[in-house]
Amino acid sequence: MIHTEKQAAPFLYSLDENLEKVKRELGNSTDLVTRQVRLEAVDQMQVGILYTEGLVDKNMISGFMESLMLHARKEDFPVEANPLMLMKDFLLTIGGVEEVYDFDHLYDAILTGDTVILVDGYSYGFIANTKQWEDRGVQETSVQTVVRGSREAFSENLRTNTALVRRRINNRNLWLETMQIGDMTQTKVAMMYIKGVVQESVVTEVRERLGQITIDGILESGNIEEMIQDHTFTPFPTIYNTERPDSVAAGLLEGRVAILVDGTPIVLLVPAVFVQFFQSSEDYYMRADFGILRILRLISFFIALLAPSLYVAVTTFHQEMLQTNLIMSIAAQREGVPFPAAIEALLMEFTFEMLREAGVRMPRAVGSAISIVGALVLGEAAVQAGLVSPATVIVVSITAITSFVFPSFSMSIPIRLLRFGVIALAASFGLIGVFVGMIALCIHLCTLRSFGVPYMAPLAPVNLADQKDTLIRLPIWMMHTRPHFLRQKNSVRERKSKI
Amino acid sequence: MILVALFGIGDAILYVPSLTATAAKQDAWISALIGWGEGFLLTYLYVSLSMRYPNKSIFQYSAEILGKWLGKAVAVLFISYFFIDASLMLMEIGDFVTTQIMQETPIEIILVLFLVIIVMGVRSGPEAFSRVSELLFPYFLLLFFILIAFISPQIKIENVKPVLAHGLAPVFGGNFRYAGYLLETVIMIVIFPLVKRPARAAKAYILGILLANFFLTIITAVAILVLGADITVLLAYPSYTLAQKISIGNFFERIEVLMAVIWFITLFVKITICYYATNIGIAYTLGLRDYRHLTLPLGMIMIVVALTTMPNRPYFDSFVSDIWMPYSLTYGLFLPVLLLSVGALRKKPVC
């Protein structure tokens, strides 16, 4: 936590000099507040109070200043006793008070929202925990929405976030470790796990990887994710992220480790597996037959990945596979189109991706413009202009819809990337190319690991018991065990009921 | 188990019906049934050989049994067998694709394309490609049963009659060719020591072979039931033609590409294992630390070998039906029996 190379500098005895030094070293920053008061009760003792405006609870500060100046009586401070210790015990009616001996700790304290109290003639002071700042508060989920289930989302405040998880798991085995990462930003990063459920080696691994990060700043959990993930050169996310406290709680109960980062509502869960990105927390709240929707999502995955390339392959190389009427109508549509199917598909996919990107980045005020123009370039007008065939428009639209099906946004990125690669393969080698691409994808997926867990578990390696909660979800009373691929110590989720 | 099953099915699924039917005519399915017993016996042989030397590869214990030089010679023979098998199958893919699916594409391109994924699979290690096979197995099952279900309306039971019209001799003749494919499963012996628990591996080995036999018997029987013995003999790829005949409600037509996908899946698994076996064999014989350096140069050699050994289709056909069986017999039966018996003579059984 030391951001200067120097040795920790101890305090001087003179309060004035101490305050001067602090002001000088913080560059006379205008949000630093230093106040000096004289204590009537304790022999006209000079007391200095330092804090950063905006990071502290002003009521709390005025509260203890009041108690220092008004309620302190002479008889509470016998001459022979150390007045500072008495001050700490009697007067500071605040939760966390600790002593501080050097300037480095002082800077850390006042810059994170604590208040430092220094006394003239003594080379140490107190840190009082007065942190409070404006935040967004707990709001509704905006990315991972559900029809049924909790609507709370994480916020930017680490304390609020840990509290949200703790409220769901009231157990003394829910452990929390905090560390500070980022030489400049000193961002608080917390690991949460359930002792006795989680596999110890995963916890150690996470702790080690977090400890190895040396970077100047962590601004979002994405920074952490990139530093600790197993594989960088893969389009697939090997760390799960969520904004839902109930997803995190469920992950902890399964034996995962949650990584919470101060300043972001996105929480990381490790280890992550492929199928996890097709599961929504709602799957567990609705009745079990709702879980069949996961198969729908998996089909959407394949459609989103393959639809344009299959279209290209079939229309360019394998016309005989289609029924005669169908191929006739497609050929008729394509008659006036100047491009080969591959170029056409690439063009439309590209347009769609650009529209999507524009839609996300655009200021809300001009939002309606993009939808009007978008409908033109991706629709009837493009067809009438003779640039694309209606079949291509339909294929691209299906792809677009299916790529929004996944509950987790991070899974749609690899699909968007790989889609273009598969189109290129289809355009050059037809279905053989698509097949080769898919096998290569399988090989790639099977080599991935996330914190020691094979990424494709429980599909490969197969675990039959885990299939209860993979592509379908069986009723909760049938799922007696936690997912085995996480190799927890205690895998029994549900005691056998005697009904 | 899945790995073994997919391996056993391998390229056989396209060729077996025609090969066995050549000799056994309408009784080819009986030949395939006999294969169950043979498969079991052969696998039992391989398993008992592997179990005697747990955690050691065939290259290691052949040297142990036969002495250093003789053992190395046997290892080199095995390696050549694996390598030739791998290039043969690569050529089968190229031949199939260029004759049946994409006539205009040069065969070299197809070979390179497939070689890329095979090398990729081998480089990622045995653990990864066995997971790939686990991942692909459900799709294989699904496609296989779709195929069988859709073709079932066209089954004519008259096609298998008369049963055993020419006695048992042709049945065994057909079985002789069928066994050629079973003997190739000797390659799995290389994978065996990688499994942590030998007892489970042994079970999986045997079950996998039986499963492979199950699928092969079904496809042989269905091919004969639908196409009739005479046509099955004439066709190069009877199973593929089988899929072409599917016609449900005039809509599900010409879905033979499903069959091609089945075949590609099984063949991919098989070539990858063969190629892996070649690589670790060479790496072991030459004392290399990592077999991965070999994958790329060997792959290039493999393409050339594939192109030169199989100049054309009739050559390939005669090679497979006349030479392949005795050739496989050397490695699939003779050498393992030799190793097992010499090993038993030289020292008392371990257990």
Side-chain angles (χ1 to χ4, degrees):
Chain A
M1 39 175 69
I2 292 155
H3 31 66
T4 51
E5 294 291 311
K6 303 181 283 186
Q7 285 280 315
F11 290 136
L12 308 167
Y13 283 98
S14 155
L15 178 64
D16 286 335
E17 282 177 30
N18 277 337
L19 292 184
E20 266 314 304
K21 187 176 155 101
V22 171
K23 273 189 194 162
R24 199 174 57 242
E25 296 211 343
L26 290 180
N28 284 320
S29 298
T30 41
D31 57 352
L32 175 74
V33 179
T34 53
R35 295 190 55 186
Q36 284 190 34
V37 290
R38 203 173 279 279
L39 283 195
E40 293 295 329
V42 199
D43 205 14
Q44 300 291 323
M45 196 166 70
Q46 290 262 24
V47 176
I49 294 169
L50 299 102
Y51 60 89
T52 310
E53 202 165 358
L55 297 180
V56 294
D57 184 358
K58 280 199 172 161
N59 292 332
M60 216 184 256
I61 293 181
S62 60
F64 74 67
M65 282 179 66
E66 192 181 312
S67 65
L68 272 181
M69 296 171 72
L70 303 179
H71 301 307
R73 283 166 297 156
K74 248 198 171 82
E75 51 268 35
D76 288 340
F77 290 90
V79 186
E80 66 276 10
N82 184 342
L84 256 66
M85 287 300 122
L86 290 170
M87 235 167 87
K88 183 182 169 188
D89 293 344
F90 280 106
L91 295 174
L92 301 179
T93 52
I94 302 169
V97 177
E98 45 186 297
E99 285 157 44
V100 58
Y101 296 95
D102 59 68
F103 278 104
D104 286 324
H105 284 101
L106 178 141
Y107 295 136
D108 284 338
I110 49 181
L111 293 177
T112 52
D114 287 337
T115 301
V116 172
I117 301 159
L118 294 175
V119 180
D120 192 27
Y122 291 87
S123 68
Y124 63 101
F126 302 121
I127 296 174
N129 185 356
T130 53
K131 292 186 187 75
Q132 192 185 40
W133 53 84
E134 296 297 319
D135 65 26
R136 209 158 47 97
V138 177
Q139 288 181 341
E140 242 184 76
T141 49
S142 57
V143 184
Q144 295 170 314
T145 49
V146 293
V147 176
R148 177 169 178 176
S150 153
R151 277 169 182 56
E152 278 177 338
F154 284 120
S155 79
E156 275 78 7
N157 188 341
L158 181 68
R159 254 320 137 242
T160 320
N161 292 351
T162 54
L164 281 172
V165 178
R166 239 185 228 290
R167 270 220 328 260
R168 283 173 172 77
I169 305 175
N170 300 318
N171 194 307
R172 65 193 161 90
N173 288 328
L174 177 63
W175 285 13
L176 180 72
E177 285 175 29
T178 315
M179 53 192 89
Q180 289 188 332
I181 299 178
D183 293 340
M184 288 286 192
T185 54
Q186 298 285 320
T187 312
K188 284 205 176 67
V189 175
M191 286 166 61
M192 270 183 136
Y193 53 88
I194 302 182
K195 190 82 179 166
V197 172
V198 73
Q199 193 198 1
E200 283 304 320
S201 63
V202 174
V203 178
T204 335
E205 185 67 36
V206 174
R207 199 181 291 135
E208 265 175 28
R209 290 194 196 178
L210 286 177
Q212 280 168 2
I213 298 178
T214 46
I215 194 174
D216 58 346
I218 296 289
L219 298 178
E220 215 269 341
S221 52
N223 299 153
I224 300 267
E225 181 178 342
E226 284 206 359
M227 302 290 275
I228 64 171
Q229 66 193 355
D230 291 59
H231 305 268
T232 306
F233 297 104
T234 171
F236 291 92
T238 48
I239 291 178
Y240 187 77
N241 63 65
T242 180
E243 57 159 2
R244 298 184 57 83
D246 57 341
S247 294
V248 170
L252 292 175
L253 286 173
E254 284 178 344
R256 291 191 164 90
V257 178
I259 302 167
L260 300 89
V261 179
D262 198 20
T264 173
I266 306 294
V267 172
L268 307 176
L269 266 182
V270 293
V273 292
F274 182 71
V275 286
Q276 202 178 348
F277 294 90
F278 295 91
Q279 298 168 350
S280 157
S281 62
E282 202 176 5
D283 295 353
Y284 301 93
Y285 305 147
M286 299 289 240
R287 295 179 68 248
D289 36 14
F290 185 83
I292 293 174
L293 283 187
R294 284 178 184 176
I295 295 178
L296 189 76
R297 292 184 199 132
L298 199 73
I299 294 173
S300 314
F301 173 80
F302 284 113
I303 293 178
L305 189 59
L306 294 179
S309 44
L310 286 181
Y311 171 75
V312 169
V314 168
T315 50
T316 2
F317 291 99
H318 312 277
Q319 292 93 346
E320 80 280 356
M321 279 181 64
L322 292 179
Q323 219 200 344
T324 320
N325 293 342
L326 189 56
I327 192 70
M328 293 291 270
S329 93
I330 289 181
Q333 287 169 17
R334 289 188 38 78
E335 209 182 349
V337 180
F339 308 115
I343 300 291
E344 206 185 344
L346 280 176
L347 199 72
M348 292 303 277
E349 287 293 339
F350 220 80
T351 317
F352 168 67
E353 291 298 336
M354 283 192 292
L355 271 179
R356 172 143 82 170
E357 189 59 17
V360 176
R361 305 280 161 249
M362 207 176 33
R364 283 204 189 113
V366 287
S368 57
I370 203 90
S371 46
I372 296 167
V373 180
L376 288 181
V377 291
L378 268 185
E380 194 66 19
V383 172
Q384 280 177 0
L387 289 175
V388 290
S389 68
T392 317
V393 175
I394 289 173
V395 168
V396 171
S397 317
I398 288 177
T399 318
I401 297 167
T402 47
S403 62
F404 289 122
V405 167
F406 319 114
S408 179
F409 178 72
S410 40
M411 193 39 98
S412 71
I413 293 160
I415 298 171
R416 285 160 70 178
L417 276 175
L418 293 171
R419 188 189 296 147
F420 290 97
V422 187
I423 292 179
L425 276 176
S428 14
F429 304 109
L431 284 179
I432 311 289
V434 177
F435 173 78
V436 167
M438 291 313 285
I439 295 279
L441 186 64
C442 280
I443 299 175
H444 176 67
L445 281 171
C446 286
T447 53
L448 292 183
R449 278 173 173 272
S450 170
F451 287 84
V453 174
Y455 194 50
M456 291 311 279
L459 293 172
V462 187
N463 186 318
L464 281 182
D466 288 347
Q467 302 299 323
K468 291 175 182 173
D469 185 21
T470 305
L471 297 181
I472 51 169
R473 180 182 76 79
L474 292 187
I476 292 221
W477 56 267
M478 290 169 92
M479 298 193 289
H480 293 292
T481 54
R482 304 196 164 95
H484 288 93
F485 55 84
L486 295 171
R487 294 203 201 90
Q488 314 87 343
K489 274 196 251 162
N490 166 13
S491 71
V492 179
R493 194 204 287 267
E494 202 169 337
R495 279 166 290 145
K496 295 252 192 267
S497 58
K498 286 175 185 155
I499 312 166
Chain B
M1 182 183 105
I2 287 166
L3 196 65
V4 182
L6 283 181
F7 179 88
I9 298 161
D11 54 340
I13 196 165
L14 264 189
Y15 293 102
V16 151
S18 143
L19 278 177
T20 34
T22 314
K25 301 283 179 215
Q26 65 273 32
D27 297 325
W29 58 279
I30 305 180
S31 308
L33 270 184
I34 300 174
W36 287 58
E38 284 171 358
F40 180 76
L41 288 178
L42 280 177
T43 334
Y44 193 77
L45 169 69
Y46 305 147
V47 166
S48 45
L49 184 57
S50 307
M51 293 288 268
R52 284 179 64 94
Y53 306 95
N55 302 324
K56 281 187 182 163
S57 74
I58 186 161
F59 312 110
Q60 279 169 307
Y61 55 71
S62 64
E64 204 168 290
I65 295 171
L66 298 172
K68 197 179 170 198
W69 291 106
L70 215 52
K72 288 245 168 167
V74 169
V76 168
L77 280 178
F78 266 112
I79 293 164
S80 72
Y81 175 64
F82 299 155
F83 191 59
I84 287 174
D85 199 8
S87 7
L88 272 185
M89 285 185 292
L90 193 65
M91 197 57 200
E92 283 172 9
I93 286 189
D95 189 55
F96 174 78
V97 171
T98 44
T99 54
Q100 303 288 320
I101 303 179
M102 300 171 80
Q103 286 89 349
E104 287 158 28
T105 314
I107 192 164
E108 290 83 2
I109 298 294
I110 306 289
L111 297 186
V112 169
L113 204 59
F114 270 89
L115 195 73
V116 167
I117 50 172
I118 289 159
V119 168
M120 195 175 155
V122 170
R123 285 182 81 93
S124 61
E127 197 186 14
F129 66 69
S130 54
R131 283 204 202 113
V132 172
S133 70
E134 278 178 290
L135 203 60
L136 293 173
F137 191 64
Y139 299 100
F140 165 77
L141 271 187
L142 186 74
L143 293 175
F144 189 83
F145 284 113
I146 286 178
L147 179 76
I148 298 300
F150 281 2
I151 201 70
S152 55
Q154 300 182 30
I155 286 179
K156 291 189 218 66
I157 215 79
E158 303 85 62
N159 279 335
V160 289
K161 289 176 184 171
V163 179
L164 293 180
H166 306 283
L168 277 173
V171 173
F172 281 108
N175 179 252
F176 189 63
R177 283 144 192 240
Y178 182 82
Y181 284 97
L182 290 177
L183 289 170
E184 284 180 29
T185 52
V186 71
I187 297 167
M188 295 302 293
I189 227 169
V190 179
I191 306 288
F192 198 90
L194 300 173
V195 186
K196 280 188 199 114
R197 279 166 290 189
R200 281 184 65 176
K203 207 172 136 198
Y205 202 160
I206 293 175
L207 277 177
I209 295 296
L210 290 182
L211 206 60
N213 268 310
F214 170 73
F215 286 113
L216 290 180
T217 312
I218 285 187
I219 199 82
T220 313
V222 170
I224 290 175
L225 281 166
V226 174
L227 299 169
D230 295 331
I231 298 177
T232 312
V233 173
L234 290 175
L235 292 168
Y237 304 104
S239 324
Y240 191 65
T241 317
L242 202 62
Q244 283 179 333
K245 286 189 77 95
I246 291 175
S247 170
I248 303 276
N250 284 329
F251 185 73
F252 280 112
E253 282 183 357
R254 314 229 32 185
I255 50 172
E256 66 268 14
V257 75
L258 289 188
M259 187 60 214
V261 169
I262 294 180
W263 192 64
F264 286 153
I265 290 178
T266 54
L267 205 52
F268 163 72
V269 172
K270 193 166 171 181
I271 301 183
T272 310
I273 294 170
C274 277
Y275 192 50
Y276 172 74
T278 316
N279 277 307
I280 57 167
I282 294 180
Y284 176 74
T285 322
L286 299 180
L288 299 181
R289 227 176 303 130
D290 192 1
Y291 70 89
R292 286 184 175 81
H293 304 301
L294 291 169
T295 49
L296 215 55
L298 258 187
M300 294 174 194
I301 298 172
M302 190 156 92
I303 290 190
V304 180
V305 170
L307 287 170
T308 45
T309 48
M310 289 300 123
N312 53 39
R313 177 78 208 171
Y315 185 91
F316 177 74
D317 279 343
S318 71
F319 180 81
V320 168
S321 48
D322 300 333
I323 302 174
W324 188 243
M325 172 65 194
Y327 185 54
S328 296
L329 208 58
T330 318
Y331 301 100
L333 192 63
F334 173 65
L335 282 179
V337 168
L338 180 81
L339 286 176
L340 193 63
S341 43
V342 173
L345 283 176
R346 279 186 65 148
K347 62 175 175 187
K348 290 200 167 97
V350 188
C351 44

